[in-house]
Amino acid sequence: MARLKIVYYPKPVLLTVGKPVEEFDESLKKLIEDMFETMYQAQGVGLAAPQVAVSKRLFVMDCSGGEDQLQKIALINPEIIHVEGEQIGDEGCLSFPGLYQKVQRNLRTIVRYQDINGEFQELDGENLTARCVLHETDHCDGIVFLDRMTILKREMAKRKIKKLQKTGKWE
Ligand code: NI
């Protein structure tokens, strides 16, 4: 396994719609293994392919932070097929290091996706799982969490990003 380089906002790959995955081959398996490794190393609960400069529709997630093997899931070609309710909570993103901001999301989502073998699956989740699925599916569509903030919060976030960029932590 290899750790991949995470790209930071506003790299164009983060703002580009990913291409559907068509080949469920060894190179896809390798990419997914490397993405899990990279996500755990960075202590994130989700990581989408565009965040490692691969413009494809897939992401990995584990809302248990490595505690529960059942929550370690790779979702390929995700499609949100049902949402309900709402939640407001702090959200971060590995492509926005050091930035946390309140974002409104649905409370429950059902996502249809393909697993590593290309088989169709559905994941029905609430709370953090729903937040993570929506955040990561957005990445596959070239949408970042900044786009989901209220105008006021987005302006605050942009000022904070400028400050963070000056620290040199943010390339
Ligand atoms: Ni993110």
Side-chain angles (χ1 to χ4, degrees):
M1 281 188 284
R3 211 189 311 170
L4 306 169
K5 184 174 158 48
I6 296 174
V7 298
Y8 298 152
Y9 179 83
K11 286 272 158 50
V13 68
L14 292 171
L15 311 174
T16 303
V17 178
K19 290 193 181 66
V21 173
E22 286 166 356
E23 304 280 334
F24 293 81
D25 55 9
E26 284 306 309
S27 71
L28 179 68
K29 289 194 171 75
K30 171 88 168 68
L31 173 64
I32 286 170
E33 274 181 21
D34 291 347
M35 284 173 62
F36 273 121
E37 168 85 1
T38 307
M39 180 187 79
Y40 287 127
Q41 199 74 45
Q43 295 185 315
V45 293
L47 181 71
Q51 295 183 272
V52 292
V54 175
S55 194
K56 287 187 181 169
R57 302 183 60 78
L58 75 132
F59 66 90
V60 297
M61 64 183 274
D62 181 353
C63 290
S64 79
E67 297 290 313
D68 178 4
Q69 193 68 18
L70 291 176
Q71 293 197 49
K72 182 181 176 187
I73 316 172
L75 295 91
I76 302 158
N77 299 325
E79 191 192 339
I80 306 292
I81 57 171
H82 179 78
V83 294
E84 63 183 64
E86 53 184 58
Q87 56 173 324
I88 296 175
D90 277 326
E91 205 166 300
C93 177
L94 294 176
S95 294
F96 292 75
L99 182 75
Y100 298 90
Q101 190 61 273
K102 288 222 182 329
V103 180
Q104 182 174 332
R105 298 279 186 185
N106 294 109
L107 184 62
R108 178 180 171 214
T109 59
I110 302 175
V111 59
R112 187 166 187 260
Y113 66 96
Q114 282 167 283
D115 65 19
I116 202 161
N117 301 310
E119 303 291 338
F120 284 94
Q121 310 284 352
E122 280 182 18
L123 175 68
D124 184 341
E126 292 184 342
N127 300 308
L128 180 59
T129 301
R131 179 177 292 283
C132 188
V133 163
L134 291 166
H135 179 118
E136 302 306 331
T137 301
D138 270 355
H139 274 304
C140 297
D141 290 324
I143 296 167
V144 292
F145 80 141
L146 201 62
D147 303 322
R148 298 295 190 190
M149 293 173 194
T150 60
I151 292 170
L152 188 67
K153 294 263 190 299
R154 192 182 311 144
E155 290 312 312
M156 280 167 58
K158 282 183 175 169
R159 283 197 293 276
K160 181 113 192 274
I161 290 167
K162 281 208 180 93
K163 277 185 198 157
L164 287 165
Q165 283 169 328
K166 281 182 195 150
T167 66
K169 228 184 88 181
W170 189 311
E171 305 150 11

